[in-house]
Amino acid sequence: MVHMSLVPPDGSPPGGTTAQPITGPDLSELLKASARGDETAFAELYDATSARVFGLVLRVVRDRAQAEEVTQEAYLEIWRTAARFDPDRGGPVGWIMTIGHRKAVDRVRSAEASTRRDTAYEAREQATPYDNTSEEAHRNLDAQRVRKALASLTQVQRGALELAYFGGYTHKEVAHLLDLPLGTAKTRIRDGLIRLRDTLGVEL
Amino acid sequence: MSTDLHSLCGAYAVDALDEDERPQFEDHLAHCPHCSEELTGLLQAATAISAVGQLAPPPELRANVLAQIRLVRPLPPLVQQPPRDGGNVRTPVPEPARAPGPLPSAGDGQPGDDLSHARSDRLEKARAARRTTTRWLALAAAAVVILVAGGVAWHPWTYSTGQTTPQSAVQQVLGAKDATTYHTKIGSADAVVVRSASLHKAVVRTTDLRSAPSGHVYALWYFDAKGQPVKAGKLPNNTSGTTTTMLTGNAANAKGVGITIEKASGWTKPTTRPILDVSFA
């Protein structure tokens, strides 16, 4: 973290989308404008949220090329369904992240993904281990709060939640992976989320 | 039963339900104000986790996304529906498609009456009439825009050695100079096949395709020079929204692409009539 520089190391544009706060542009308004076909508003929405979406998608699918595809699919979906966003439910970031996460999970669960990893040009690209992204996370105050909150969970709650959210596993698979009786992983996941919600006092 | 579904709320919030449970829970959600309320908080908690590990995507991705949205018409808003009979009238419960699990199910587009733009209106009518010329021309024009943009920005095969991430396989096909686009339909769902002869690859994009029947898959086929089917992978299990899938195998000598519905395991040959059949004319 000492070696962190203010310039993103990957050549992304200045004022780029790393370490983005959730505040900033009014995302609900940008979604509304996008629903009317406003491409400029959508570009702004993309700039404000893409690091968060891409970071999550990459963590789930692991392969960088696939993460880019999934992120792109997610934004197409966000564009297409922007009129269905309901500001009263979960907020714009939650809505956007839900779409990104589901796309990522669908991708890793689809057998197609493993087949495609074998194709020639994708094989040249190395997977990006998650740890490469942790540096970015430390810049972000929200991330620190969340890390703390995660650390306050019981080991099983945390394990179940991480396997589900970052691993893309179903609660039944999580039960297997953690040697939990079938049907209890979903309870651990729910308990973990409730505790997170209460610890963070969720306002996003 | 209902209590059981109730306990799935947390798993739903982190997409940890399997394909059978997800629709069950969404049905339940539409009628259970308690779950609906709980889900909002759990989703916010789940979303908070994503604050960890942010990473800027490569700049090209932005250009690709902005080019591609021009191909996609935003859905109209859901207009107020009268409550279902037997439903809870006092508590407005969102439709599943509007609930926090936001991916709309296939075919839920409901045309609004008050579209303000004449062009949108025309497209709406065109959609209703399915295959009208206006719609196809508009789509074709949009496709030209993106393919031209691709020709300028993308250089398949010549990866830069710097930090730039190579274009993904799908993007290479979409951006290839010789990419040819074929528009068709699967039922009422839009389907687009893009093939690049020089890259020996083809890509299928579907929009709002109903998921394959339980225990079945959408199998992809190339048709070889003799018209014989060659297995070329399958569509993802969840085909809601827009999905883009590259066919496996070699498109160099293929004369066309087909999709059939097959049992999820053990399929080697088409056993049903193709629901999509595109010839590379």
Side-chain angles (χ1 to χ4, degrees):
Chain A
M1 283 109 281
V2 207
H3 55 278
M4 254 170 27
S5 80
L6 289 173
V7 181
D10 56 0
S12 56
T17 47
T18 36
Q20 50 200 204
I22 314 300
T23 52
D26 183 338
L27 299 181
S28 295
E29 285 305 315
L30 292 178
L31 274 172
K32 271 190 208 165
S34 301
R36 297 189 293 262
D38 184 337
E39 292 170 15
T40 312
F42 189 76
E44 212 179 317
L45 182 81
Y46 177 92
D47 291 339
T49 56
S50 58
R52 193 153 174 174
V53 173
F54 184 66
L56 175 62
V57 167
L58 179 62
R59 180 143 191 202
V60 176
V61 308
R62 293 167 192 241
D63 173 83
R64 212 176 155 107
Q66 291 204 45
E68 289 175 26
E69 279 175 32
V70 170
T71 302
Q72 184 161 329
E73 282 173 16
Y75 276 99
L76 285 181
E77 190 73 12
I78 291 161
W79 165 259
R80 205 173 68 88
T81 57
R84 309 293 166 91
F85 164 65
D86 179 351
D88 296 336
R89 298 202 56 102
V93 177
W95 188 76
I96 288 167
M97 296 314 299
T98 305
I99 292 180
H101 188 256
R102 185 169 293 183
K103 287 275 178 200
V105 167
D106 286 347
R107 173 63 66 103
V108 291
R109 287 192 198 156
S110 137
E112 184 71 18
S114 50
T115 315
R116 292 196 21 212
R117 277 191 202 112
D118 297 335
T119 62
Y121 24 83
E122 297 211 57
R124 300 184 203 175
E125 303 173 14
Q126 350 55 334
T128 307
Y130 166 68
D131 281 346
N132 283 6
T133 66
S134 61
E135 178 178 308
E136 312 277 348
H138 286 291
R139 300 183 193 184
N140 189 310
L141 277 179
D142 281 339
Q144 289 181 11
R145 275 176 69 221
V146 172
R147 278 176 193 286
K148 258 190 187 165
L150 280 170
S152 77
L153 304 183
T154 69
Q155 205 177 351
V156 178
Q157 285 172 347
R158 185 182 172 152
L161 200 47
E162 290 193 342
L163 281 170
Y165 195 67
F166 291 136
Y169 297 104
T170 67
H171 68 94
K172 292 173 187 168
E173 292 162 345
V174 171
H176 264 280
L177 289 168
L178 293 180
D179 287 328
L180 297 171
L182 196 66
T184 51
K186 63 185 178 205
T187 316
R188 300 291 166 265
I189 291 169
R190 181 167 169 267
D191 293 347
L193 283 174
I194 288 173
R195 190 145 167 188
L196 265 190
R197 179 192 71 192
D198 296 345
T199 309
L200 290 170
V202 167
E203 23 52 74
L204 292 175
Chain B
M1 178 72 174
S2 176
T3 321
D4 196 28
L5 286 170
H6 201 88
S7 67
L8 295 177
C9 197
Y12 179 77
V14 291
D15 291 317
L17 298 184
D18 63 33
E19 283 170 54
D20 297 331
E21 293 167 321
R22 193 191 274 178
Q24 282 177 22
F25 182 79
E26 284 179 347
D27 284 347
H28 167 73
L29 185 65
H31 302 287
C32 176
H34 182 87
C35 272
S36 188
E37 190 187 332
E38 177 173 285
L39 182 60
T40 303
L42 298 188
L43 268 179
Q44 286 177 325
T47 300
I49 305 176
S50 70
V52 176
Q54 301 190 26
L55 184 68
E60 316 88 77
L61 189 67
R62 185 181 192 273
N64 289 347
V65 166
L66 296 181
Q68 295 233 5
I69 59 172
R70 293 184 194 133
L71 287 170
V72 178
R73 171 184 174 273
L75 289 175
L78 292 171
V79 289
Q80 279 298 329
Q81 305 255 4
R84 292 179 198 179
D85 47 342
N88 186 337
V89 182
R90 282 170 301 134
T91 316
V93 177
E95 292 290 308
R98 273 180 28 175
L103 301 188
S105 52
D108 67 347
Q110 178 175 348
D113 320 328
D114 56 349
L115 290 168
S116 48
H117 302 301
R119 187 167 161 276
S120 309
D121 196 24
R122 199 165 71 237
L123 280 176
E124 195 57 59
K125 282 178 183 142
R127 171 175 283 245
R130 297 220 174 133
R131 295 164 176 260
T132 69
T133 318
T134 312
R135 177 168 172 74
W136 292 122
L137 287 180
L139 274 173
V144 167
V145 168
I146 185 173
L147 293 179
V148 167
V152 174
W154 295 332
H155 306 281
W157 309 122
T158 53
Y159 296 134
S160 65
T161 50
Q163 303 275 8
T164 317
T165 308
Q167 292 297 325
S168 76
V170 165
Q171 286 160 353
Q172 287 177 18
V173 173
L174 295 176
K177 286 204 172 75
D178 66 342
T180 315
T181 304
Y182 306 87
H183 292 282
T184 182
K185 290 262 183 187
I186 302 175
S188 61
D190 287 323
V192 180
V193 176
V194 181
R195 178 229 196 181
S196 162
S198 66
L199 298 182
H200 312 321
K201 286 288 174 190
V203 164
V204 177
R205 166 169 297 161
T206 62
T207 303
D208 284 340
L209 179 62
R210 193 185 298 260
S211 287
S214 180
H216 292 70
V217 295
Y218 289 118
L220 299 167
W221 308 95
Y222 280 128
F223 297 111
D224 68 14
K226 293 174 188 159
Q228 292 302 306
V230 181
K231 200 169 167 179
K234 65 187 180 70
L235 295 184
N237 294 335
N238 183 334
T239 51
S240 67
T242 299
T243 62
T244 309
T245 309
M246 176 138 71
L247 278 70
T248 58
N250 192 324
N253 300 313
K255 298 294 182 216
V257 163
I259 297 181
T260 61
I261 297 176
E262 304 297 338
K263 288 223 169 91
S265 58
W267 49 283
T268 51
K269 287 181 193 162
T271 59
T272 58
R273 184 187 291 272
I275 54 171
L276 174 147
D277 189 353
V278 166
S279 298
F280 300 144

